[in-house]
Amino acid sequence: EPEVTQTPSHQVTQMGQEVILRCVPISNHLYFYWYRQILGQKVEFLVSFYNNEISEKSEIFDDQFSVERPDGSNFTLKIRSTKLEDSAMYFCASSGRTGGLEKLFFGSGTQLSVL
Amino acid sequence: AQTVTQSQPEMSVQEAETVTLSCTYDTSESNYYLFWYKQPPSRQMILVIRQEAYKQQNATENRFSVNFQKAAKSFSLKISDSQLGDTAMYFCAFTPRRAGGTSYGKLTFGQGTILTVHP
């Protein structure tokens, strides 16, 4: 089965630093998403991206966050100035039609630790 | 706005037994999808089963089946013949289905139920 790939699997950064989380969605998918999960809590939607622009974003996705699809294969999430509360697992996902059914595929996540 | 509620923080079951995880949701949408995702200790999100709201027939995937009660806004997951590998956090999730829209991927998750399967 096709996979969404995320790198790195674990990122440690200092508060106030910029981080970029990288994702390679499944090649023929058109819709891309970022979710996050603070340890022990539920998974929360951050942003959806389609046709090279944000289609929806949550309240969490403030001006410190941005997304980009720089080269037609990668999909990145940038946090400009990290805060302690940004520590979480960040999941990338993409969706497309598989066997006639639309399906959402998640990557294995990037654990971000802000110190 | 949609909400998804899983009222069982933790459940346990003996290997080979059957267990049911509960989920309720609230929405004004008439057409939507419901999902159960499994998250093992690796924290990967794995789709277990999906249900389309306009289908009255309950979805089934091998040992996993759902009891979808649309009027009651209830969507429970039944795991038959539980295996040790079923030990994981299980999340119920909802997304509205809008024609041509991207909302398919915007999931609202419940708080999760930790399932432990004992040998």
Side-chain angles (χ1 to χ4, degrees):
Chain A
E1 189 161 73
E3 288 186 350
V4 175
T5 306
Q6 288 187 245
T7 54
S9 58
H10 195 180
Q11 174 99 40
V12 181
T13 189
Q14 296 290 325
M15 190 170 58
Q17 294 297 305
E18 174 183 287
V19 293
I20 297 176
L21 308 183
R22 302 181 191 280
C23 170
V24 179
I26 293 167
S27 60
N28 61 348
H29 283 184
L30 300 177
Y31 301 98
F32 314 109
Y33 310 87
W34 284 101
Y35 285 81
R36 81 169 186 191
Q37 184 186 29
I38 295 171
L39 186 63
Q41 299 186 21
K42 62 179 164 181
V43 180
E44 300 172 292
F45 169 80
L46 290 179
V47 65
S48 60
F49 191 85
Y50 171 71
N51 199 25
N52 282 319
E53 60 183 24
I54 291 173
S55 47
E56 258 183 294
K57 60 183 181 180
S58 72
E59 294 173 353
I60 303 167
F61 194 88
D62 62 21
D63 292 344
Q64 293 297 314
F65 292 89
S66 62
V67 290
E68 194 176 38
R69 189 155 160 81
D71 56 11
S73 62
N74 292 285
F75 180 51
T76 61
L77 174 69
K78 183 195 292 186
I79 309 175
R80 288 188 183 82
S81 178
T82 50
K83 307 184 191 75
L84 295 176
E85 54 265 37
D86 294 328
S87 294
M89 179 74 94
Y90 288 82
F91 292 102
C92 174
S94 68
S95 67
R97 297 193 79 82
T98 302
L101 289 177
E102 195 166 354
K103 191 173 176 182
L104 184 68
F105 291 80
F106 281 89
S108 54
T110 294
Q111 177 64 53
L112 176 65
S113 300
V114 181
L115 306 179
Chain B
Q2 294 85 25
T3 58
V4 178
T5 302
Q6 293 176 250
S7 57
Q8 305 153 316
E10 294 185 43
M11 294 281 285
S12 64
V13 64
Q14 291 297 126
E15 196 174 8
E17 297 293 307
T18 296
V19 64
T20 299
L21 309 184
S22 300
C23 173
T24 58
Y25 59 94
D26 190 24
T27 183
S28 58
E29 301 280 348
S30 58
N31 203 2
Y32 47 87
Y33 291 104
L34 293 159
F35 306 87
W36 280 97
Y37 279 89
K38 170 184 177 181
Q39 188 180 45
S42 66
R43 297 187 75 183
Q44 174 107 33
M45 295 292 289
I46 302 166
L47 178 65
V48 175
I49 200 165
R50 58 179 261 171
Q51 174 80 40
E52 296 169 73
Y54 61 87
K55 290 187 177 178
Q56 294 189 350
Q57 186 174 7
N58 289 324
T60 300
E61 287 285 342
N62 301 313
R63 297 183 294 107
F64 299 89
S65 61
V66 298
N67 184 4
F68 173 47
Q69 301 288 329
K70 190 172 184 180
K73 294 181 180 166
S74 168
F75 182 60
S76 61
L77 174 69
K78 185 170 84 171
I79 306 174
S80 304
D81 185 25
S82 298
Q83 300 175 0
L84 297 178
D86 295 334
T87 292
M89 173 83 90
Y90 287 80
F91 289 98
C92 178
F94 168 99
T95 189
R97 179 78 173 109
R98 300 189 193 112
T102 62
S103 59
Y104 179 85
K106 183 188 173 186
L107 302 178
T108 299
F109 285 87
Q111 307 92 318
T113 296
I114 299 172
L115 176 67
T116 304
V117 181
H118 298 286

